[in-house]
Amino acid sequence: MLEVRQLSKVFFEQNDPSKPGLVALYDVSFSVRKNEFVCLLGPSGCGKTTLIRVIAGLIQADRGEIRVDGKPVTAPGRDRCMVFQQFGLLPWRTVLGNVEFGLEIDGIPREQRREISRRYLELVGLHGFENYYPHQISGGMQQRVGIARALSKEPDILLMDEPFGAVDAQTREQLQEELLKIWSKTDTTVIFVTHSIDESVYLSDRVIVMQSRPGRIKEEVRVELPRPRWEGDVKADPRFAELRARIRESLRG
Amino acid sequence: MATPTDEQIIDELGLRRERARSIYDHPNLIRAASVLCFLALWEVYGRRSDPLLLTYPTAVFWAAIQLIRTGELLRQAAVSLATLGVGFGVSIALGVGLGLLTGRSRVAEAVLDPHLNALYATPQVALTPLLMMWLGLGFAVKVVIIFLFAFFPILINTTSGVKNVSASLVEVGHAYLASERQILFKVVFPAALPFIMAGIRLAVGRALVGMVVAELFTAITGLGAMLTLYGNLFETAKMFVVIVVFGLLGVGLIRATQALETRMARWKETERANR
């Protein structure tokens, strides 16, 4: 359903013509099936954030193309929704107001968007926090708001750019589990950027390992661990350790 | 056994909140006493000075009563406030409007920058005689002078507020398919609002100065004209009445904008308090 074909992206320093361009992505190709959960994993500077931003349509690729259901896309669209690393909440809006933002842009009437927003806040476990401002709640809760805002638009593809990078480890595990639960209830496709090996193995069906300079795909690793993964201790499964070791090796070499 | 509540622990430790007892806990009392002392000293000294040069508080008070009785004070104050209102309103509209434009568009900024900088750098008082030649001595010239005084802080603050809006918030707007217009009104403007309000607060004081300057120069109507009139008649007490009214007006307007600022940018206030 999502196809990335021979994507390349170069950044040029705008103020300093003497500096050479930086190749952020070079000849990146992969595809994602409907309802699949794919992680883009790699060290900082491997272009994984650039890649997801190109997929989101926030920046343009220089070569290659992206197709969603066969149609090329170059701009943000209602089929894809982004969850940002730094949450991207509007600080002057309440929790409810932030979730409503996307629906408001779409021109959905007030009562209706209220109702939809409340439903998604409930889904991410934020019932009762509708009237708080973002700075009054914890980072983990702020990102739940970000997720509710993205889900409220009912996108086909949920793009998540290191969404749990800015929260503490315990909250992170909790959010991972909840994300899996929410994903299992919807038929959303997820593309998830992370630099945590454990996170990528725990969450995804497939890990796309990237490497830097130039940013490109090293290999793809299938994760055939049973689902649901929140029951029992998947991380204690020997296959989990095996995958982790293999991906670590791949990142090193 | 259940964990004791904070109150129970405080009870058990025999601690209690200290009551405020010191004089430092009543700064308003100190303030009031200070003002009364000042007025008393002024009264004593003022009665002994030349009445042409200095007056004293009770004389100012009776002069004020007289000016209010004849209706002169309120009539002139109304004229002054009307010009102030219009001049300030235009300043806000144009300052915020142009600020949004120059903050968002580098082309617009490059086009307008030289003119605005030149006008801002020129002391606005210097333009007053010229403006009087063009516009006469009436309402219009006063509005323009007030505008020149109040416009720039609003414009400058709005521009820098808009430039300070984090690119990532604008990106969120793009990601959610907001049009340029929606980004301006739903992301950029609210994000810049605390800056804009700070500019408006600075501008209030300057608008008042502009009003007095305009009325002193034109000297036909308004509180400034009253000041000139009673100065020429050596009625010092009545001059003081006008000066006190200016002072009260200044305090009142600044208080009002502060209240408005807190209201409009409440999220910013609580955000600051949380840090």
Side-chain angles (χ1 to χ4, degrees), chain A residues 132-154:
Chain A
Y132 283 73
Y133 285 95
H135 63 88
Q136 294 172 317
I137 58 178
S138 69
M141 288 161 93
Q142 290 186 41
Q143 191 56 293
R144 285 165 201 250
V145 178
I147 293 171
R149 178 175 63 182
L151 289 174
S152 73
K153 301 260 288 182
E154 298 180 345

PDB file of all heavy atoms in Angstrom, chain A residues 132-154:
ATOM      1  N   TYR A 132      -6.957  20.364  30.679  1.00  0.00           N
ATOM      2  CA  TYR A 132      -5.607  20.726  31.094  1.00  0.00           C
ATOM      3  C   TYR A 132      -4.849  21.322  29.913  1.00  0.00           C
ATOM      4  O   TYR A 132      -5.149  21.035  28.763  1.00  0.00           O
ATOM      5  CB  TYR A 132      -4.859  19.493  31.599  1.00  0.00           C
ATOM      6  CG  TYR A 132      -5.260  19.065  32.988  1.00  0.00           C
ATOM      7  CD1 TYR A 132      -6.483  18.456  33.221  1.00  0.00           C
ATOM      8  CD2 TYR A 132      -4.406  19.275  34.065  1.00  0.00           C
ATOM      9  CE1 TYR A 132      -6.860  18.071  34.496  1.00  0.00           C
ATOM     10  CE2 TYR A 132      -4.775  18.888  35.342  1.00  0.00           C
ATOM     11  CZ  TYR A 132      -6.001  18.288  35.556  1.00  0.00           C
ATOM     12  OH  TYR A 132      -6.365  17.909  36.812  1.00  0.00           O
ATOM     13  N   TYR A 133      -3.852  22.148  30.243  1.00  0.00           N
ATOM     14  CA  TYR A 133      -2.959  22.644  29.200  1.00  0.00           C
ATOM     15  C   TYR A 133      -1.763  21.692  29.098  1.00  0.00           C
ATOM     16  O   TYR A 133      -1.394  21.052  30.078  1.00  0.00           O
ATOM     17  CB  TYR A 133      -2.496  24.064  29.519  1.00  0.00           C
ATOM     18  CG  TYR A 133      -3.573  25.079  29.260  1.00  0.00           C
ATOM     19  CD1 TYR A 133      -4.406  25.509  30.277  1.00  0.00           C
ATOM     20  CD2 TYR A 133      -3.773  25.571  27.978  1.00  0.00           C
ATOM     21  CE1 TYR A 133      -5.418  26.425  30.029  1.00  0.00           C
ATOM     22  CE2 TYR A 133      -4.772  26.479  27.719  1.00  0.00           C
ATOM     23  CZ  TYR A 133      -5.601  26.901  28.746  1.00  0.00           C
ATOM     24  OH  TYR A 133      -6.593  27.790  28.484  1.00  0.00           O
ATOM     25  N   PRO A 134      -1.124  21.620  27.912  1.00  0.00           N
ATOM     26  CA  PRO A 134      -0.034  20.670  27.725  1.00  0.00           C
ATOM     27  C   PRO A 134       1.043  20.754  28.816  1.00  0.00           C
ATOM     28  O   PRO A 134       1.531  19.721  29.286  1.00  0.00           O
ATOM     29  CB  PRO A 134       0.533  21.055  26.364  1.00  0.00           C
ATOM     30  CG  PRO A 134      -0.631  21.593  25.624  1.00  0.00           C
ATOM     31  CD  PRO A 134      -1.475  22.294  26.642  1.00  0.00           C
ATOM     32  N   HIS A 135       1.402  21.971  29.232  1.00  0.00           N
ATOM     33  CA  HIS A 135       2.490  22.076  30.204  1.00  0.00           C
ATOM     34  C   HIS A 135       2.076  21.617  31.598  1.00  0.00           C
ATOM     35  O   HIS A 135       2.910  21.503  32.489  1.00  0.00           O
ATOM     36  CB  HIS A 135       3.010  23.509  30.260  1.00  0.00           C
ATOM     37  CG  HIS A 135       1.985  24.493  30.734  1.00  0.00           C
ATOM     38  ND1 HIS A 135       1.802  24.773  32.071  1.00  0.00           N
ATOM     39  CD2 HIS A 135       1.072  25.219  30.069  1.00  0.00           C
ATOM     40  CE1 HIS A 135       0.824  25.651  32.191  1.00  0.00           C
ATOM     41  NE2 HIS A 135       0.365  25.936  30.995  1.00  0.00           N
ATOM     42  N   GLN A 136       0.786  21.360  31.785  1.00  0.00           N
ATOM     43  CA  GLN A 136       0.325  20.899  33.097  1.00  0.00           C
ATOM     44  C   GLN A 136       0.346  19.383  33.231  1.00  0.00           C
ATOM     45  O   GLN A 136       0.080  18.856  34.308  1.00  0.00           O
ATOM     46  CB  GLN A 136      -1.105  21.416  33.352  1.00  0.00           C
ATOM     47  CG  GLN A 136      -1.170  22.930  33.474  1.00  0.00           C
ATOM     48  CD  GLN A 136      -2.588  23.439  33.523  1.00  0.00           C
ATOM     49  OE1 GLN A 136      -3.447  22.986  32.765  1.00  0.00           O
ATOM     50  NE2 GLN A 136      -2.858  24.382  34.402  1.00  0.00           N
ATOM     51  N   ILE A 137       0.633  18.684  32.133  1.00  0.00           N
ATOM     52  CA  ILE A 137       0.643  17.222  32.183  1.00  0.00           C
ATOM     53  C   ILE A 137       2.028  16.701  31.815  1.00  0.00           C
ATOM     54  O   ILE A 137       2.839  17.431  31.261  1.00  0.00           O
ATOM     55  CB  ILE A 137      -0.440  16.615  31.259  1.00  0.00           C
ATOM     56  CG1 ILE A 137      -0.236  17.066  29.820  1.00  0.00           C
ATOM     57  CG2 ILE A 137      -1.828  17.001  31.744  1.00  0.00           C
ATOM     58  CD1 ILE A 137      -1.220  16.479  28.843  1.00  0.00           C
ATOM     59  N   SER A 138       2.279  15.444  32.126  1.00  0.00           N
ATOM     60  CA  SER A 138       3.623  14.883  31.917  1.00  0.00           C
ATOM     61  C   SER A 138       3.902  14.657  30.431  1.00  0.00           C
ATOM     62  O   SER A 138       2.999  14.679  29.596  1.00  0.00           O
ATOM     63  CB  SER A 138       3.731  13.555  32.645  1.00  0.00           C
ATOM     64  OG  SER A 138       2.905  12.604  32.011  1.00  0.00           O
ATOM     65  N   GLY A 139       5.182  14.438  30.120  1.00  0.00           N
ATOM     66  CA  GLY A 139       5.576  14.206  28.740  1.00  0.00           C
ATOM     67  C   GLY A 139       4.849  13.018  28.121  1.00  0.00           C
ATOM     68  O   GLY A 139       4.400  13.069  26.986  1.00  0.00           O
ATOM     69  N   GLY A 140       4.729  11.937  28.891  1.00  0.00           N
ATOM     70  CA  GLY A 140       4.031  10.756  28.389  1.00  0.00           C
ATOM     71  C   GLY A 140       2.593  11.066  28.031  1.00  0.00           C
ATOM     72  O   GLY A 140       2.079  10.633  27.000  1.00  0.00           O
ATOM     73  N   MET A 141       1.951  11.862  28.898  1.00  0.00           N
ATOM     74  CA  MET A 141       0.562  12.233  28.627  1.00  0.00           C
ATOM     75  C   MET A 141       0.469  13.158  27.421  1.00  0.00           C
ATOM     76  O   MET A 141      -0.459  13.059  26.618  1.00  0.00           O
ATOM     77  CB  MET A 141      -0.049  12.906  29.858  1.00  0.00           C
ATOM     78  CG  MET A 141      -0.315  11.917  30.981  1.00  0.00           C
ATOM     79  SD  MET A 141      -0.496  12.774  32.545  1.00  0.00           S
ATOM     80  CE  MET A 141      -2.252  12.988  32.573  1.00  0.00           C
ATOM     81  N   GLN A 142       1.459  14.036  27.291  1.00  0.00           N
ATOM     82  CA  GLN A 142       1.448  14.938  26.129  1.00  0.00           C
ATOM     83  C   GLN A 142       1.519  14.139  24.834  1.00  0.00           C
ATOM     84  O   GLN A 142       0.833  14.450  23.865  1.00  0.00           O
ATOM     85  CB  GLN A 142       2.622  15.914  26.203  1.00  0.00           C
ATOM     86  CG  GLN A 142       2.468  16.936  27.315  1.00  0.00           C
ATOM     87  CD  GLN A 142       3.569  17.983  27.284  1.00  0.00           C
ATOM     88  OE1 GLN A 142       3.963  18.462  26.237  1.00  0.00           O
ATOM     89  NE2 GLN A 142       4.065  18.337  28.445  1.00  0.00           N
ATOM     90  N   GLN A 143       2.357  13.086  24.843  1.00  0.00           N
ATOM     91  CA  GLN A 143       2.455  12.313  23.613  1.00  0.00           C
ATOM     92  C   GLN A 143       1.175  11.514  23.358  1.00  0.00           C
ATOM     93  O   GLN A 143       0.821  11.276  22.215  1.00  0.00           O
ATOM     94  CB  GLN A 143       3.689  11.401  23.632  1.00  0.00           C
ATOM     95  CG  GLN A 143       4.008  10.779  22.292  1.00  0.00           C
ATOM     96  CD  GLN A 143       4.196  11.811  21.176  1.00  0.00           C
ATOM     97  OE1 GLN A 143       3.255  12.500  20.774  1.00  0.00           O
ATOM     98  NE2 GLN A 143       5.411  11.929  20.671  1.00  0.00           N
ATOM     99  N   ARG A 144       0.477  11.120  24.418  1.00  0.00           N
ATOM    100  CA  ARG A 144      -0.831  10.476  24.216  1.00  0.00           C
ATOM    101  C   ARG A 144      -1.768  11.435  23.492  1.00  0.00           C
ATOM    102  O   ARG A 144      -2.551  11.025  22.635  1.00  0.00           O
ATOM    103  CB  ARG A 144      -1.462  10.107  25.548  1.00  0.00           C
ATOM    104  CG  ARG A 144      -0.834   8.900  26.209  1.00  0.00           C
ATOM    105  CD  ARG A 144      -1.291   8.871  27.640  1.00  0.00           C
ATOM    106  NE  ARG A 144      -0.388   8.070  28.439  1.00  0.00           N
ATOM    107  CZ  ARG A 144      -0.720   6.892  28.950  1.00  0.00           C
ATOM    108  NH1 ARG A 144      -1.920   6.414  28.764  1.00  0.00           N
ATOM    109  NH2 ARG A 144       0.151   6.215  29.637  1.00  0.00           N
ATOM    110  N   VAL A 145      -1.681  12.718  23.872  1.00  0.00           N
ATOM    111  CA  VAL A 145      -2.496  13.719  23.184  1.00  0.00           C
ATOM    112  C   VAL A 145      -2.117  13.756  21.704  1.00  0.00           C
ATOM    113  O   VAL A 145      -2.976  13.767  20.822  1.00  0.00           O
ATOM    114  CB  VAL A 145      -2.324  15.121  23.816  1.00  0.00           C
ATOM    115  CG1 VAL A 145      -3.147  16.150  23.046  1.00  0.00           C
ATOM    116  CG2 VAL A 145      -2.721  15.107  25.282  1.00  0.00           C
ATOM    117  N   GLY A 146      -0.790  13.738  21.452  1.00  0.00           N
ATOM    118  CA  GLY A 146      -0.317  13.747  20.069  1.00  0.00           C
ATOM    119  C   GLY A 146      -0.844  12.549  19.288  1.00  0.00           C
ATOM    120  O   GLY A 146      -1.235  12.670  18.127  1.00  0.00           O
ATOM    121  N   ILE A 147      -0.872  11.394  19.939  1.00  0.00           N
ATOM    122  CA  ILE A 147      -1.364  10.181  19.278  1.00  0.00           C
ATOM    123  C   ILE A 147      -2.863  10.284  19.038  1.00  0.00           C
ATOM    124  O   ILE A 147      -3.358   9.980  17.945  1.00  0.00           O
ATOM    125  CB  ILE A 147      -1.018   8.936  20.122  1.00  0.00           C
ATOM    126  CG1 ILE A 147       0.504   8.740  20.150  1.00  0.00           C
ATOM    127  CG2 ILE A 147      -1.703   7.689  19.566  1.00  0.00           C
ATOM    128  CD1 ILE A 147       0.974   7.681  21.123  1.00  0.00           C
ATOM    129  N   ALA A 148      -3.594  10.774  20.052  1.00  0.00           N
ATOM    130  CA  ALA A 148      -5.048  10.925  19.894  1.00  0.00           C
ATOM    131  C   ALA A 148      -5.360  11.883  18.746  1.00  0.00           C
ATOM    132  O   ALA A 148      -6.267  11.649  17.952  1.00  0.00           O
ATOM    133  CB  ALA A 148      -5.675  11.438  21.190  1.00  0.00           C
ATOM    134  N   ARG A 149      -4.567  12.962  18.648  1.00  0.00           N
ATOM    135  CA  ARG A 149      -4.790  13.941  17.588  1.00  0.00           C
ATOM    136  C   ARG A 149      -4.599  13.300  16.219  1.00  0.00           C
ATOM    137  O   ARG A 149      -5.384  13.527  15.296  1.00  0.00           O
ATOM    138  CB  ARG A 149      -3.822  15.112  17.752  1.00  0.00           C
ATOM    139  CG  ARG A 149      -3.955  16.151  16.673  1.00  0.00           C
ATOM    140  CD  ARG A 149      -3.079  17.347  16.923  1.00  0.00           C
ATOM    141  NE  ARG A 149      -1.663  16.992  16.908  1.00  0.00           N
ATOM    142  CZ  ARG A 149      -0.687  17.869  17.138  1.00  0.00           C
ATOM    143  NH1 ARG A 149      -0.988  19.119  17.424  1.00  0.00           N
ATOM    144  NH2 ARG A 149       0.567  17.484  17.115  1.00  0.00           N
ATOM    145  N   ALA A 150      -3.535  12.474  16.097  1.00  0.00           N
ATOM    146  CA  ALA A 150      -3.286  11.817  14.811  1.00  0.00           C
ATOM    147  C   ALA A 150      -4.373  10.791  14.503  1.00  0.00           C
ATOM    148  O   ALA A 150      -4.897  10.736  13.393  1.00  0.00           O
ATOM    149  CB  ALA A 150      -1.917  11.151  14.818  1.00  0.00           C
ATOM    150  N   LEU A 151      -4.755   9.987  15.510  1.00  0.00           N
ATOM    151  CA  LEU A 151      -5.752   8.940  15.279  1.00  0.00           C
ATOM    152  C   LEU A 151      -7.116   9.518  14.942  1.00  0.00           C
ATOM    153  O   LEU A 151      -7.881   8.924  14.191  1.00  0.00           O
ATOM    154  CB  LEU A 151      -5.864   8.044  16.516  1.00  0.00           C
ATOM    155  CG  LEU A 151      -4.679   7.127  16.793  1.00  0.00           C
ATOM    156  CD1 LEU A 151      -4.882   6.416  18.121  1.00  0.00           C
ATOM    157  CD2 LEU A 151      -4.506   6.113  15.673  1.00  0.00           C
ATOM    158  N   SER A 152      -7.427  10.704  15.516  1.00  0.00           N
ATOM    159  CA  SER A 152      -8.753  11.282  15.311  1.00  0.00           C
ATOM    160  C   SER A 152      -9.031  11.546  13.829  1.00  0.00           C
ATOM    161  O   SER A 152     -10.174  11.645  13.413  1.00  0.00           O
ATOM    162  CB  SER A 152      -8.900  12.584  16.102  1.00  0.00           C
ATOM    163  OG  SER A 152      -8.149  13.603  15.490  1.00  0.00           O
ATOM    164  N   LYS A 153      -7.965  11.658  13.042  1.00  0.00           N
ATOM    165  CA  LYS A 153      -8.155  11.877  11.604  1.00  0.00           C
ATOM    166  C   LYS A 153      -8.316  10.561  10.857  1.00  0.00           C
ATOM    167  O   LYS A 153      -8.450  10.552   9.632  1.00  0.00           O
ATOM    168  CB  LYS A 153      -6.962  12.636  11.029  1.00  0.00           C
ATOM    169  CG  LYS A 153      -6.727  13.987  11.684  1.00  0.00           C
ATOM    170  CD  LYS A 153      -7.265  15.132  10.871  1.00  0.00           C
ATOM    171  CE  LYS A 153      -6.413  15.360   9.648  1.00  0.00           C
ATOM    172  NZ  LYS A 153      -6.918  16.509   8.887  1.00  0.00           N
ATOM    173  N   GLU A 154      -8.266   9.473  11.594  1.00  0.00           N
ATOM    174  CA  GLU A 154      -8.405   8.143  11.018  1.00  0.00           C
ATOM    175  C   GLU A 154      -7.567   7.946   9.762  1.00  0.00           C
ATOM    176  O   GLU A 154      -8.087   7.659   8.681  1.00  0.00           O
ATOM    177  CB  GLU A 154      -9.892   7.842  10.750  1.00  0.00           C
ATOM    178  CG  GLU A 154     -10.659   7.850  12.047  1.00  0.00           C
ATOM    179  CD  GLU A 154     -12.151   7.560  11.885  1.00  0.00           C
ATOM    180  OE1 GLU A 154     -12.641   7.634  10.747  1.00  0.00           O
ATOM    181  OE2 GLU A 154     -12.776   7.240  12.901  1.00  0.00           O
TER     182      GLU A 154
END
